[in-house]
Amino acid sequence: MDTVVKRKSKKNKYFLMAVPAFLLIGYFVYSAAIKKRSLNVSRKEIVIKTVEDNYFEDFIVFQAKVEPLHSTLLNVIEGGSVQEIYIENGDYVEKGQPLVRLYNPNTELGYVTQETSIIEQINNLNKAKLDLRNQELSMAKDLVAIEHDYLDAKNLYELNGKLYKEEILSKNEWDKTQENFRFQKERKGIIQQSIQKEKQANIILISQINQSQAIMQKSLEILRSNKKNFLVTAPFSGRVLSFEPVLGKNYQAGESIGKIDVMKGYKLQAEVDEYYLDKISTGQKGQIDFNNSIIEVEVAKIIPEIKNGRFLVDLEFKQSKELDLKQGLSFAVRLILSEKTKTTVLTKGSFYEDTAGKWIFVAEGDKAIRRNIKLGRENPLYYEVEEGLKLGEKVVTSSYRDYSDIQVLNIKE
């Protein structure tokens, strides 16, 4: 009888062959994954610096220009077109000296109309005061006539009283005399009271008229003064700059046509990066090099308005003797932000632009290995090292532009 022989499965054979292959591929993938990416670089292509223990001084350096200590804009007060120009840009002028004359016919006509109206009102008030005085004069005349009638009635009363006692005058005539005297007396009293009240009322009216006239006179003076605003004059003595008016050109009220600098004393003015806005304060000391001498300066004013990523800083000179300065000169200002302290520092380099100071290549023999670090303050010379580097270690400080994904640099001679 025949024996049945079982045939081996090809699937098991293939499986046994595939397992070693998969394991081998997995090994290579794993090895590639855990292997650090490296790059060969020439020593001549990189810059290597040593981590030092040195004095760190937090300071910044920026350019500042010499500006006059005091200056002001020359603004047009009354808008109009330029009619006459009396000076040129850069001229030195005295206080009150005419600079330019403008003209505006509509405004001029308005001034004439207002002036005429005010003068007419002043004349009307003068006429009102004159009418009150005439009224007082008329009442005074009436009072004189009334007093005359009163005195006549009084004299007749006294005379007839004697005649009546001597029974020369009749009772009827005496009664008429008494009645006339009473009438004249009461009439005089009433008129006197009326005149007194009128005088008191007139005093108040005249006082109010005088106040109104004073206000109108002041308005008239201001109006006439404003007519002079078409002539732009120098507010004080100094040098006129940025002064470029054009004949016939129309300028609006408040528009600037230049500026005037007082040539007494100078300051430094600089545009500083907005990064330092919170680090600069008034009173901070600085230095400039002038004629091979160190000149002390101090922050006098900070204008925190940011324009194009920068803000303005004014600095004043701290020495007593006058310097032979000229407007427009430029100086490199070294502004001290903190006192000197000894700490671990690293020389500044291009690597910071690519790493933001978060990692660096540390050189060990013929290799440079990537390491995470933490940097603190900086000045134009050094970074302050806070974490990740030790004194004496050497690091690559040149550009890392091509090393962003590299873990190890193989340094070749």
Side-chain angles (χ1 to χ4, degrees):
M1 188 173 79
D2 294 335
T3 303
V4 178
V5 179
K6 292 185 179 180
R7 192 175 181 182
K8 292 184 179 180
S9 174
K10 291 185 177 182
K11 290 184 179 180
N12 293 337
K13 180 180 179 181
Y14 291 150
F15 177 76
L16 292 175
M17 293 174 64
V19 168
F22 279 121
L23 290 175
L24 187 60
I25 293 172
Y27 170 76
F28 284 119
V29 171
Y30 176 76
S31 298
I34 64 172
K35 186 178 181 182
K36 294 182 178 179
R37 294 191 62 185
S38 63
L39 181 69
N40 295 333
V41 296
S42 171
R43 185 176 293 273
K44 296 179 181 180
E45 296 176 358
I46 60 176
V47 176
I48 297 177
K49 295 292 182 179
T50 303
V51 179
E52 305 175 64
D53 187 17
N54 206 338
Y55 285 100
F56 181 87
E57 184 180 40
D58 197 2
F59 70 93
I60 59 173
V61 177
F62 52 81
Q63 291 295 120
K65 287 186 177 181
V66 175
E67 297 286 348
L69 196 57
H70 302 289
S71 63
T72 186
L73 292 175
L74 295 171
N75 293 330
V76 173
I77 300 176
E78 290 291 344
S81 59
V82 177
Q83 192 176 40
E84 294 178 272
I85 301 174
Y86 303 107
I87 66 161
E88 294 182 356
N89 188 37
D91 286 353
Y92 185 88
V93 296
E94 298 292 337
K95 181 179 180 180
Q97 181 177 340
L99 307 179
V100 63
R101 180 184 294 279
L102 295 96
Y103 180 68
N104 188 326
N106 294 330
T107 305
E108 187 75 23
L109 179 61
Y111 280 150
V112 173
T113 303
Q114 293 179 55
E115 185 176 9
T116 303
S117 176
I118 292 174
I119 292 174
E120 184 178 353
Q121 293 180 56
I122 291 175
N123 291 336
N124 290 337
L125 291 175
N126 283 328
K127 184 178 181 300
K129 284 201 298 186
L130 183 60
D131 290 342
L132 290 174
R133 291 193 182 99
N134 289 336
Q135 183 183 2
E136 288 182 0
L137 182 60
S138 176
M139 294 179 69
K141 290 179 180 179
D142 292 340
L143 182 59
V144 170
I146 291 169
E147 286 182 343
H148 181 267
D149 293 341
Y150 168 76
L151 290 175
D152 285 346
K154 181 180 179 183
N155 292 334
L156 183 60
Y157 174 80
E158 292 175 351
L159 177 61
N160 287 350
K162 294 177 181 179
L163 295 176
Y164 180 72
K165 287 180 181 179
E166 295 176 1
E167 296 181 355
I168 297 175
L169 187 68
S170 66
K171 187 176 184 307
N172 186 38
E173 288 293 328
W174 173 238
D175 290 341
K176 288 182 179 180
T177 301
Q178 285 182 312
E179 178 62 24
N180 183 52
F181 178 64
R182 182 195 63 77
F183 170 74
Q184 295 297 341
K185 185 177 181 180
E186 290 182 0
R187 180 187 177 198
K188 177 188 174 184
I190 292 171
I191 295 299
Q192 284 180 330
Q193 291 178 5
S194 177
I195 291 175
Q196 185 64 29
K197 290 180 180 179
E198 286 291 336
K199 283 184 177 180
Q200 292 175 350
N202 288 350
I203 289 173
I204 296 173
L205 285 174
I206 290 174
S207 175
Q208 293 174 343
I209 290 173
N210 288 336
Q211 290 178 1
S212 298
Q213 283 185 314
I215 293 173
M216 290 181 183
Q217 191 64 41
K218 188 174 182 180
S219 299
L220 187 60
E221 291 173 1
I222 294 174
L223 184 65
R224 288 171 175 170
S225 175
N226 288 341
K227 290 174 67 177
K228 299 178 182 178
N229 289 334
F230 287 116
L231 180 65
V232 180
T233 59
F236 43 72
S237 300
R239 190 176 303 282
V240 177
L241 298 172
S242 302
F243 183 77
E244 298 177 352
V246 180
L247 285 173
K249 182 178 178 180
N250 191 66
Y251 289 89
Q252 300 297 322
E255 189 173 351
S256 175
I257 59 171
K259 72 173 184 174
I260 185 167
D261 295 334
V262 180
M263 310 308 290
K264 294 181 180 179
Y266 292 93
K267 65 181 179 180
L268 290 174
Q269 190 171 79
E271 292 185 354
V272 183
D273 191 279
E274 62 181 323
Y275 171 80
Y276 296 103
L277 182 59
D278 295 333
K279 298 187 176 185
I280 297 180
S281 60
T282 54
Q284 285 179 329
K285 309 296 182 183
Q287 297 174 340
I288 64 168
D289 186 356
F290 179 67
N291 291 339
N292 297 321
S293 298
I294 299 299
I295 306 298
E296 300 292 329
V297 295
E298 182 178 289
V299 176
K301 184 179 180 182
I302 298 171
I303 303 174
E305 182 181 4
I306 305 297
K307 291 184 178 179
N308 299 322
R310 308 181 77 81
F311 66 98
L312 286 178
V313 175
D314 287 349
L315 304 103
E316 60 183 20
F317 296 94
K318 297 306 294 180
Q319 64 178 47
S320 56
K321 70 175 185 178
E322 188 172 345
L323 301 173
D324 185 20
L325 297 172
K326 291 183 180 179
Q327 184 177 354
L329 286 176
S330 181
F331 293 97
V333 178
R334 176 188 172 108
L335 188 67
I336 301 168
L337 303 179
S338 69
E339 298 297 327
K340 287 184 178 180
T341 55
K342 202 164 189 181
T343 184
T344 303
V345 295
L346 172 63
T347 303
K348 298 193 79 169
S350 303
F351 76 96
Y352 193 90
E353 298 175 5
D354 303 299
T355 70
K358 295 181 179 179
W359 56 274
I360 200 168
F361 284 109
V362 181
E364 299 176 2
D366 60 353
K367 294 183 181 295
I369 301 173
R370 179 167 172 163
R371 184 190 299 177
N372 291 332
I373 62 171
K374 182 179 180 182
L375 301 179
R377 297 175 298 170
E378 63 176 283
N379 62 29
L381 301 177
Y382 298 109
Y383 296 112
E384 183 182 28
V385 178
E386 292 186 349
E387 295 178 9
L389 293 174
K390 296 178 181 179
L391 184 65
E393 287 188 311
K394 297 183 180 299
V395 295
V396 178
T397 60
S398 50
S399 175
Y400 288 6
R401 187 186 312 166
D402 301 323
Y403 309 155
S404 59
D405 298 328
I406 303 301
Q407 300 293 321
V408 177
L409 296 177
N410 298 315
I411 304 173
K412 306 296 182 180
E413 294 297 335

